[in-house]
Amino acid sequence: MNVPGIDWTRLTGWMSAHVPDVGEPLEISLISGGRSNLTYVLRTGDRRLVLRRPPLGHVLPTAHDMRREWRVISALAATPVPVPEPVAFCGDEDVVGAPFYLMGHVDGAAVRTQQDAAGLSPEQTRRLSERLAEVLAAIHAVDYREVGLGDFGRPEGYMTRQLERWGQQWQRSKTAELPEHDSLAARLRERLPAHSASTLVHGDYRLDNTLARLSPDPDILAVVDWEMSTLGDPLADLGLTLTYWQDPDDEERASVPVAAGVTVAPGFLTAREFAAHYAKVSGTDISDLDFYVAFGTYKLAVIVEGIHARFIQGKTVGEGFEHIGAAVPTLLHRAHRLLDG
């Protein structure tokens, strides 16, 4: 069976030896790939599983960490945070060419576009966006020590390390010199908070990194894509979520082809309303939120530049990457304006 990123013979042999109880694998197909980790649905005799592995080519150090994803969904399985069922992890790169893990298939929808939400009423889209904020608050409310994640990160100095990390990622990925990047990094460094809260953070929280039930009563069934999770400042999570958010009158954000568009549908909370609902259910002070949204916008610019670099190398899987590089300067300028405001 010829599927990009999968050696079918080795995979079936590994599953027979390590997870024989899930049934014999019969077929596999790619359901998401190219921009980040590759995700496949795997059918066995009596159930469906999902396999996650890193992208092909140009994998940055510390990025696309399958062991990290596996550990956090295993730790959260018994908490109020909805995650897929953890099934098995494989660290042997000889099986499919990289570490991977298997998790239970969640019968929910990945809501990425307005078309995905086209059948929902404004009341339903509002409830869906409220639940997204409430689940983010639930992630931040987890007692990470109690669930075995006390050593999952170093909360002290988290934002400083984040700025250093994403600056290093930029240097490894950049395809052109952009002075706007250097000046933005300097401004963010000057504004780093002296102290911040410490919680479990997802690191890439947005609507299309969840699986949702859309009707009759919308809900978030599972949070996925935990590769960037760690212990750190919860406002960094909220700021990044709002980086992905698009209000109906925000044409500039519409030009960035990453997780934009669906939230302009009638009924969705605005970015300001989403932040206010999160603050209400979590009890968090969001008075310095503009800094965190600017930081999230900077982080997204670096991520998009990495995708653009993989596209230039011919290492993306899927379509729609040819214009993504143009979004990088747009995001850098947007972050500067947020700091100005």
Side-chain angles (χ1 to χ4, degrees):
M1 188 174 295
N2 185 20
V3 179
I6 297 295
D7 185 312
W8 179 250
T9 300
R10 291 182 178 179
L11 175 63
T12 54
W14 181 87
M15 288 182 63
S16 296
H18 294 88
V19 283
D21 56 310
V22 304
E24 180 182 353
L26 301 176
E27 62 181 18
I28 188 170
S29 58
L30 180 70
I31 56 175
S32 177
R35 296 184 178 182
S36 188
N37 294 320
L38 305 182
T39 306
Y40 309 80
V41 63
L42 176 68
R43 186 174 66 84
T44 69
D46 54 4
R47 64 182 299 190
R48 286 188 295 172
L49 303 174
V50 170
L51 184 151
R52 291 265 289 169
R53 60 147 292 161
L56 308 178
H58 192 70
V59 176
L60 296 169
T62 77
H64 313 292
D65 190 338
M66 296 295 94
R67 190 179 297 277
R68 193 168 197 83
E69 283 198 8
W70 167 257
R71 183 179 175 190
V72 74
I73 67 168
S74 298
L76 294 177
T79 74
V81 179
V83 292
E85 173 200 359
V87 175
F89 174 81
C90 177
D92 183 356
E93 297 189 12
D94 289 337
V95 178
V96 300
F100 69 93
Y101 68 91
L102 298 173
M103 59 185 175
H105 182 271
V106 176
D107 192 17
V111 183
R112 298 186 175 92
T113 67
Q114 290 186 57
Q115 185 176 0
D116 294 332
L120 300 182
S121 69
E123 292 77 16
Q124 288 173 316
T125 53
R126 182 176 185 85
R127 184 54 187 153
L128 182 61
S129 45
E130 288 175 342
R131 284 297 296 144
L132 190 70
E134 291 161 8
V135 170
L136 181 60
I139 292 170
H140 298 158
V142 167
D143 185 333
Y144 56 81
R145 296 181 182 88
E146 185 176 308
V147 299
L149 296 175
D151 62 345
F152 198 58
R154 293 177 294 143
E156 189 67 29
Y158 168 77
M159 293 302 296
T160 299
R161 290 193 307 276
Q162 279 284 293
L163 183 56
E164 293 173 351
R165 173 190 175 184
W166 290 101
Q168 292 167 0
Q169 303 286 54
W170 174 268
Q171 294 302 323
R172 295 187 181 100
S173 297
K174 66 179 180 180
T175 60
E177 295 292 339
L178 292 178
E180 297 92 336
H181 167 271
D182 298 339
S183 59
L184 176 59
R187 295 185 71 186
L188 290 169
R189 191 173 298 109
E190 292 172 359
R191 286 275 302 274
L192 285 169
H195 303 286
S196 61
S198 169
T199 71
L200 176 66
V201 294
H202 180 276
D204 196 19
Y205 190 79
R206 60 183 193 261
L207 183 56
D208 68 335
N209 274 344
T210 70
L211 297 171
R213 182 181 68 220
L214 298 183
S215 62
D217 181 24
D219 199 4
I220 303 299
L221 300 182
V223 181
V224 294
D225 291 13
W226 291 89
E227 63 182 280
M228 298 182 190
S229 58
T230 187
L231 305 181
D233 189 335
L235 285 180
D237 255 359
L238 178 60
L240 187 63
T241 301
L242 297 179
T243 295
Y244 295 124
W245 212 265
Q246 182 187 333
D247 288 342
D249 58 350
D250 192 349
E251 294 301 322
E252 181 183 65
R253 185 59 183 86
S255 71
V256 179
V258 180
V262 64
T263 57
V264 304
F268 270 101
L269 298 177
T270 65
R272 185 181 297 275
E273 289 171 337
F274 183 93
H277 190 65
Y278 168 86
K280 178 181 177 181
V281 298
S282 67
T284 301
D285 177 5
I286 61 170
S287 57
D288 197 25
L289 187 57
D290 278 352
F291 164 79
Y292 290 94
V293 180
F295 193 96
T297 305
Y298 168 71
K299 177 177 172 180
L300 182 57
V302 178
I303 293 170
V304 171
E305 183 72 355
I307 297 168
H308 180 53
R310 290 204 300 274
F311 170 73
I312 290 174
Q313 295 174 3
K315 297 296 185 180
T316 49
V317 177
E319 299 179 351
F321 301 102
E322 60 272 14
H323 302 301
I324 199 166
V328 176
T330 299
L331 289 165
L332 295 176
H333 294 154
R334 189 176 176 92
H336 275 291
R337 287 201 311 276
L338 284 160
L339 293 178
D340 292 339

